[in-house]
Structures are given as C-alpha cells and as structure tokens.
Amino acid sequence: MALLELKNLHVALEDGTEIVKGIDLQVNTNEVHAIMGPNGSGKSTLAYSLAGHPAYEITDGDVLLDGESVLEQGADERAQRGLFLAFQYPHAVPGVTVTNFLRSAINSVRKARNNGEDDPIPIPEFRKEILAQMDRLEVSRELASRYLNDGFSGGEKKRIEILQLAMLKPRIAILDETDSGLDIDAVRVVANGVHELVGPEMGALVITHYQRILNFIKPDFVHVMVNGRIVEEGGPELAHKLEAEGYERYGKAA
C-alpha cells in the first residue's frame, strides 16, 4: 500500500476550468518524487488540491493517504493525518510568533492523534527540539520570537517552512517550488533539510520548474507534467535531460 496515491485525479478551478486532467501517482516512504513542468502546467494546482485548498475542486478520481481517501477531509484534517504543504510564497502572519505558531501546530496534531484529547508537548521538550532544528537548518534563533514570515527575506521564509516540516514530522511532504527565488546557498540548506527528513516514516513530492534543487535532494523518480497531465516518467537522469533540452519537445502544450 502506497503512502500517497493519486488515482485518475482531475482538478478544476471554481469557475469549472479543468487544470489537472487525470493523474495517477504513487509515493512511498523513503522516496522522493519530483514533478517537473513548464509554468502553467498545473503543478501548483495539484499541490493545493492535495492539501485541501477550497478554491480547487477535485472533480474526479481519488487521493489516498495510507490507503484511506482524504477527499471528505478539510485542510486541517489532512494536515493532522500527516500531509504537509510547503508553499511557493509563504504568507506572513502578523501577531503570531514563529514559536507560538509551531507549538500550536504541534499540539493540534498531537490532539488529533490522541483521539481528540489534549496532549500538549512539554515546553522544555519543545524548546530543546526547536533550537536543535533551527541550528541544523541554519535558521537564525532570533526569528523564533518574530511574527511568522513578517518582514522575512525569501530565504528566511523557506527555511521556516522546512523548520515546520522538521518539527511536525509529517507522513508526506509536498514542496511547491520551494527553490523559487532562493540563492544557491539557501537552496542547499532547504534541500539538505528535506533530504535528511525523508526516510522510513516520510516520503516527499517535490514540485519544481528547474532541476537545480534536485542536485541536492536527489529524486528517486521524476514525472514530467505538461498541460495537466503526466507525459513522461523516469529516474533522476530525466531531470538532467530536461535541464539540457527544456520542455519544447513536448509540443505546443509546453
């Protein structure tokens, strides 16, 4: 049984425009899958629909997490079950510190996994864990007391996304163009953070336009998405081929 399975997935916008046009995909723990494609191919729509964004409607097919459909579950329930989405453009949340946000998120997951009973993480345990992860991910400790993403640089925002990933320890991580706007050092830190977290308890789906981040994460499988469909699949060598040749060979859709 796959960790995450997409079955003939179709996704439309609120006005009925179909963007994702029948995708089949399986991701297991200890695997990194990359979805690559030109701009406008439906990659971010796919990511948002998996996370439960209300502006994207799954019109056909199914999404299974550990063998159970998530279609009737909201974004919060999917997150509690272990589905994590790192945004291409993380939003600022003025008034909520990074520390308080992370502790609340962790406690929400712990409560859901404890049959709805509160099970807050002990403060000393939380503090030890967040400081260790911040150091490992090269996140400045002073960011912990600042409002979430408020005034952060692009690199700081993406590091905080991976800090959330490290603290929440989800089952499946979906990274939507996490390398967008980052310099090579920030890409390295973010990619290494993901690479270290993928293992027996977690798999990852990395959505990207460029091959750059894949130099560090090293995908096991690469899927090419054009015009809402997977048009080619292969191993990591396919990413290098795309970097060299681009998407033109897939026709007008690219």
Side-chain angles (χ1 to χ4, degrees), residues 44-117:
S44 290
T45 295
L46 175 64
Y48 284 130
S49 69
L50 295 179
H53 194 301
Y56 301 89
E57 182 186 0
I58 293 176
T59 56
D60 197 6
D62 206 350
V63 179
L64 306 178
L65 184 59
D66 284 321
E68 295 184 18
S69 177
V70 302
L71 294 192
E72 299 301 317
Q73 297 174 336
D76 57 336
E77 295 171 294
R78 298 183 195 193
Q80 289 163 0
R81 282 190 56 188
L83 193 152
F84 178 93
L85 172 63
F87 295 102
Q88 182 176 0
Y89 303 110
H91 291 284
V93 188
V96 179
T97 66
V98 169
T99 297
N100 286 341
F101 173 81
L102 282 171
R103 192 163 68 234
S104 295
I106 289 169
N107 286 340
S108 177
V109 171
R110 288 171 67 107
K111 180 177 180 178
R113 294 176 181 173
N114 195 40
N115 298 316
E117 297 290 328

Side-chain angles (χ1 to χ4, degrees), residues 194-248:
V194 174
H195 185 70
E196 290 178 19
L197 292 165
V198 171
E201 299 299 321
M202 193 185 97
L205 185 60
V206 180
I207 294 171
T208 184
H209 183 85
Y210 299 108
Q211 191 260 338
R212 184 176 63 158
I213 194 171
L214 304 181
N215 287 332
F216 300 97
I217 292 185
K218 301 288 192 302
D220 300 290
F221 303 95
V222 174
H223 313 267
V224 183
M225 187 172 181
V226 176
N227 194 26
R229 296 182 173 88
I230 300 294
V231 296
E232 188 172 1
E233 298 176 304
E237 72 285 344
L238 180 54
H240 293 284
K241 188 174 182 180
L242 289 170
E243 186 76 0
E245 300 178 6
Y247 297 100
E248 287 76 13

Side-chain angles (χ1 to χ4, degrees), residues 167-217:
M167 294 293 291
L168 290 169
K169 299 177 175 60
R171 296 281 288 143
I172 180 77
I174 302 168
L175 310 177
D176 182 22
E177 306 225 18
T178 300
D179 53 334
S180 176
L182 299 187
D183 63 35
I184 196 66
D185 288 332
V187 169
R188 174 187 55 79
V189 171
V190 166
N192 287 347
V194 174
H195 185 70
E196 290 178 19
L197 292 165
V198 171
E201 299 299 321
M202 193 185 97
L205 185 60
V206 180
I207 294 171
T208 184
H209 183 85
Y210 299 108
Q211 191 260 338
R212 184 176 63 158
I213 194 171
L214 304 181
N215 287 332
F216 300 97
I217 292 185

